[in-house]
mmCIF file of all heavy atoms in Angstrom:
data_model
loop_
_atom_site.group_PDB
_atom_site.id
_atom_site.type_symbol
_atom_site.label_atom_id
_atom_site.label_comp_id
_atom_site.label_asym_id
_atom_site.label_seq_id
_atom_site.Cartn_x
_atom_site.Cartn_y
_atom_site.Cartn_z
ATOM 1 N N PHE A 142 -2.586 -11.660 -5.311
ATOM 2 C CA PHE A 142 -2.642 -10.454 -6.122
ATOM 3 C C PHE A 142 -1.577 -9.466 -5.665
ATOM 4 O O PHE A 142 -1.231 -9.418 -4.480
ATOM 5 C CB PHE A 142 -4.014 -9.770 -5.960
ATOM 6 C CG PHE A 142 -5.178 -10.610 -6.402
ATOM 7 C CD1 PHE A 142 -5.646 -11.645 -5.619
ATOM 8 C CD2 PHE A 142 -5.805 -10.354 -7.609
ATOM 9 C CE1 PHE A 142 -6.727 -12.429 -6.012
ATOM 10 C CE2 PHE A 142 -6.891 -11.121 -8.016
ATOM 11 C CZ PHE A 142 -7.344 -12.152 -7.221
ATOM 12 N N TYR A 144 -0.958 -5.258 -5.939
ATOM 13 C CA TYR A 144 -1.512 -3.970 -6.290
ATOM 14 C C TYR A 144 -0.454 -2.903 -6.075
ATOM 15 O O TYR A 144 0.401 -3.031 -5.192
ATOM 16 C CB TYR A 144 -2.735 -3.629 -5.414
ATOM 17 C CG TYR A 144 -4.015 -4.302 -5.830
ATOM 18 C CD1 TYR A 144 -4.259 -5.634 -5.492
ATOM 19 C CD2 TYR A 144 -4.973 -3.616 -6.562
ATOM 20 C CE1 TYR A 144 -5.437 -6.255 -5.878
ATOM 21 C CE2 TYR A 144 -6.154 -4.229 -6.943
ATOM 22 C CZ TYR A 144 -6.375 -5.542 -6.599
ATOM 23 O OH TYR A 144 -7.540 -6.157 -6.988
ATOM 24 N N GLN A 146 -0.020 1.213 -5.212
ATOM 25 C CA GLN A 146 -0.768 2.343 -4.692
ATOM 26 C C GLN A 146 0.148 3.549 -4.537
ATOM 27 O O GLN A 146 1.041 3.551 -3.683
ATOM 28 C CB GLN A 146 -1.418 2.001 -3.348
ATOM 29 C CG GLN A 146 -2.329 3.096 -2.825
ATOM 30 C CD GLN A 146 -3.025 2.746 -1.523
ATOM 31 O OE1 GLN A 146 -2.516 1.928 -0.748
ATOM 32 N NE2 GLN A 146 -4.189 3.322 -1.284
ATOM 33 N N ALA A 151 -6.010 5.451 -5.216
ATOM 34 C CA ALA A 151 -6.546 4.114 -5.016
ATOM 35 C C ALA A 151 -5.541 3.060 -5.474
ATOM 36 O O ALA A 151 -4.739 3.304 -6.371
ATOM 37 C CB ALA A 151 -7.849 3.951 -5.794
ATOM 38 N N PRO A 152 -5.558 1.878 -4.875
ATOM 39 C CA PRO A 152 -4.731 0.780 -5.381
ATOM 40 C C PRO A 152 -5.143 0.398 -6.789
ATOM 41 O O PRO A 152 -6.333 0.410 -7.122
ATOM 42 C CB PRO A 152 -5.032 -0.361 -4.400
ATOM 43 C CG PRO A 152 -5.610 0.281 -3.192
ATOM 44 C CD PRO A 152 -6.332 1.487 -3.683
ATOM 45 N N TYR A 157 -1.750 -11.226 -10.972
ATOM 46 C CA TYR A 157 -2.541 -12.275 -10.327
ATOM 47 C C TYR A 157 -1.867 -13.611 -10.576
ATOM 48 O O TYR A 157 -1.531 -13.929 -11.728
ATOM 49 C CB TYR A 157 -3.947 -12.274 -10.909
ATOM 50 C CG TYR A 157 -4.798 -13.483 -10.602
ATOM 51 C CD1 TYR A 157 -5.256 -13.717 -9.323
ATOM 52 C CD2 TYR A 157 -5.178 -14.363 -11.618
ATOM 53 C CE1 TYR A 157 -6.070 -14.809 -9.048
ATOM 54 C CE2 TYR A 157 -5.991 -15.457 -11.348
ATOM 55 C CZ TYR A 157 -6.433 -15.667 -10.053
ATOM 56 O OH TYR A 157 -7.235 -16.734 -9.777
ATOM 57 N N SER A 205 -17.500 -16.695 2.115
ATOM 58 C CA SER A 205 -17.176 -15.331 2.530
ATOM 59 C C SER A 205 -15.685 -15.062 2.434
ATOM 60 O O SER A 205 -15.268 -13.914 2.517
ATOM 61 C CB SER A 205 -17.657 -15.088 3.955
ATOM 62 O OG SER A 205 -16.972 -15.941 4.858
ATOM 63 N N ARG A 207 -14.034 -15.135 -0.081
ATOM 64 C CA ARG A 207 -13.710 -14.644 -1.404
ATOM 65 C C ARG A 207 -13.072 -13.258 -1.339
ATOM 66 O O ARG A 207 -12.390 -12.836 -2.260
ATOM 67 C CB ARG A 207 -14.976 -14.612 -2.255
ATOM 68 C CG ARG A 207 -14.728 -14.104 -3.643
ATOM 69 C CD ARG A 207 -15.957 -14.243 -4.519
ATOM 70 N NE ARG A 207 -15.765 -13.569 -5.792
ATOM 71 C CZ ARG A 207 -15.032 -14.037 -6.784
ATOM 72 N NH1 ARG A 207 -14.450 -15.196 -6.659
ATOM 73 N NH2 ARG A 207 -14.884 -13.348 -7.906
ATOM 74 N N GLN A 208 -13.295 -12.543 -0.248
ATOM 75 C CA GLN A 208 -12.715 -11.219 -0.182
ATOM 76 C C GLN A 208 -11.203 -11.314 -0.035
ATOM 77 O O GLN A 208 -10.666 -12.296 0.451
ATOM 78 C CB GLN A 208 -13.339 -10.438 0.983
ATOM 79 C CG GLN A 208 -13.393 -11.163 2.299
ATOM 80 C CD GLN A 208 -12.209 -10.905 3.191
ATOM 81 O OE1 GLN A 208 -11.295 -10.219 2.806
ATOM 82 N NE2 GLN A 208 -12.234 -11.449 4.388
ATOM 83 N N LEU A 209 -10.506 -10.280 -0.510
ATOM 84 C CA LEU A 209 -9.051 -10.234 -0.453
ATOM 85 C C LEU A 209 -8.592 -9.767 0.924
ATOM 86 O O LEU A 209 -9.157 -8.848 1.494
ATOM 87 C CB LEU A 209 -8.492 -9.284 -1.514
ATOM 88 C CG LEU A 209 -8.713 -9.648 -2.979
ATOM 89 C CD1 LEU A 209 -8.025 -8.636 -3.879
ATOM 90 C CD2 LEU A 209 -8.200 -11.043 -3.263
ATOM 91 N N TYR B 59 -13.385 -1.330 2.255
ATOM 92 C CA TYR B 59 -12.169 -1.460 3.052
ATOM 93 C C TYR B 59 -11.874 -0.103 3.677
ATOM 94 O O TYR B 59 -12.357 0.925 3.195
ATOM 95 C CB TYR B 59 -10.969 -1.840 2.179
ATOM 96 C CG TYR B 59 -10.915 -3.282 1.736
ATOM 97 C CD1 TYR B 59 -11.699 -3.736 0.681
ATOM 98 C CD2 TYR B 59 -10.075 -4.201 2.361
ATOM 99 C CE1 TYR B 59 -11.646 -5.061 0.270
ATOM 100 C CE2 TYR B 59 -10.003 -5.525 1.956
ATOM 101 C CZ TYR B 59 -10.795 -5.941 0.908
ATOM 102 O OH TYR B 59 -10.737 -7.249 0.500
ATOM 103 N N GLN B 61 -8.411 2.187 5.224
ATOM 104 C CA GLN B 61 -6.955 2.241 5.280
ATOM 105 C C GLN B 61 -6.559 3.390 6.189
ATOM 106 O O GLN B 61 -6.782 4.558 5.854
ATOM 107 C CB GLN B 61 -6.373 2.424 3.878
ATOM 108 C CG GLN B 61 -4.866 2.319 3.804
ATOM 109 C CD GLN B 61 -4.366 2.328 2.375
ATOM 110 O OE1 GLN B 61 -4.948 2.976 1.499
ATOM 111 N NE2 GLN B 61 -3.274 1.626 2.113
ATOM 112 N N TYR B 72 -18.704 -7.059 2.588
ATOM 113 C CA TYR B 72 -18.712 -7.584 1.218
ATOM 114 C C TYR B 72 -20.147 -7.894 0.828
ATOM 115 O O TYR B 72 -20.861 -8.586 1.558
ATOM 116 C CB TYR B 72 -17.829 -8.824 1.176
ATOM 117 C CG TYR B 72 -18.025 -9.801 0.037
ATOM 118 C CD1 TYR B 72 -18.099 -9.373 -1.283
ATOM 119 C CD2 TYR B 72 -18.079 -11.173 0.287
ATOM 120 C CE1 TYR B 72 -18.249 -10.295 -2.323
ATOM 121 C CE2 TYR B 72 -18.223 -12.086 -0.743
ATOM 122 C CZ TYR B 72 -18.305 -11.647 -2.042
ATOM 123 O OH TYR B 72 -18.445 -12.560 -3.059
ATOM 124 N N ASP B 80 -21.457 -10.203 3.837
ATOM 125 C CA ASP B 80 -20.483 -10.664 4.822
ATOM 126 C C ASP B 80 -20.043 -9.447 5.625
ATOM 127 O O ASP B 80 -19.268 -8.624 5.132
ATOM 128 C CB ASP B 80 -19.298 -11.304 4.097
ATOM 129 C CG ASP B 80 -18.146 -11.661 5.025
ATOM 130 O OD1 ASP B 80 -18.280 -11.513 6.262
ATOM 131 O OD2 ASP B 80 -17.091 -12.079 4.511
ATOM 132 N N TYR B 124 -10.255 -11.209 -12.117
ATOM 133 C CA TYR B 124 -9.014 -11.456 -11.414
ATOM 134 C C TYR B 124 -8.949 -10.706 -10.101
ATOM 135 O O TYR B 124 -8.350 -11.156 -9.155
ATOM 136 C CB TYR B 124 -7.820 -11.049 -12.283
ATOM 137 C CG TYR B 124 -7.541 -11.993 -13.415
ATOM 138 C CD1 TYR B 124 -7.013 -11.527 -14.604
ATOM 139 C CD2 TYR B 124 -7.807 -13.353 -13.309
ATOM 140 C CE1 TYR B 124 -6.734 -12.385 -15.653
ATOM 141 C CE2 TYR B 124 -7.544 -14.220 -14.344
ATOM 142 C CZ TYR B 124 -6.998 -13.733 -15.519
ATOM 143 O OH TYR B 124 -6.723 -14.582 -16.552
ATOM 144 N N GLY B 125 -9.525 -9.556 -10.035
ATOM 145 C CA GLY B 125 -9.378 -8.765 -8.806
ATOM 146 C C GLY B 125 -10.389 -7.657 -8.755
ATOM 147 O O GLY B 125 -11.437 -7.710 -9.390
ATOM 148 N N TYR B 126 -10.077 -6.663 -7.985
ATOM 149 C CA TYR B 126 -10.995 -5.574 -7.758
ATOM 150 C C TYR B 126 -10.591 -4.340 -8.549
ATOM 151 O O TYR B 126 -9.419 -4.128 -8.847
ATOM 152 C CB TYR B 126 -10.979 -5.123 -6.296
ATOM 153 C CG TYR B 126 -11.230 -6.150 -5.236
ATOM 154 C CD1 TYR B 126 -10.963 -5.824 -3.909
ATOM 155 C CD2 TYR B 126 -11.723 -7.404 -5.504
ATOM 156 C CE1 TYR B 126 -11.182 -6.724 -2.902
ATOM 157 C CE2 TYR B 126 -11.948 -8.321 -4.503
ATOM 158 C CZ TYR B 126 -11.678 -7.969 -3.200
ATOM 159 O OH TYR B 126 -11.888 -8.857 -2.190
ATOM 160 N N PHE B 128 -10.791 -0.429 -7.598
ATOM 161 C CA PHE B 128 -11.046 0.438 -6.450
ATOM 162 C C PHE B 128 -11.499 1.818 -6.878
ATOM 163 O O PHE B 128 -11.103 2.321 -7.941
ATOM 164 C CB PHE B 128 -9.774 0.613 -5.613
ATOM 165 C CG PHE B 128 -9.457 -0.551 -4.727
ATOM 166 C CD1 PHE B 128 -8.668 -1.588 -5.181
ATOM 167 C CD2 PHE B 128 -9.938 -0.607 -3.426
ATOM 168 C CE1 PHE B 128 -8.362 -2.673 -4.360
ATOM 169 C CE2 PHE B 128 -9.645 -1.673 -2.600
ATOM 170 C CZ PHE B 128 -8.856 -2.710 -3.070
ATOM 171 N N GLY B 129 -12.309 2.441 -6.033
ATOM 172 C CA GLY B 129 -12.588 3.847 -6.163
ATOM 173 C C GLY B 129 -11.462 4.652 -5.541
ATOM 174 O O GLY B 129 -10.519 4.091 -4.965
#
Side-chain angles (χ1 to χ4, degrees):
Chain A
F142 299 76
Y144 281 79
Q146 186 178 26
Y157 166 69
S205 63
R207 180 173 172 76
Q208 49 93 357
L209 296 183
Chain B
Y59 284 79
Q61 187 173 33
Y72 160 48
D80 173 5
Y124 286 148
Y126 305 167
F128 282 90

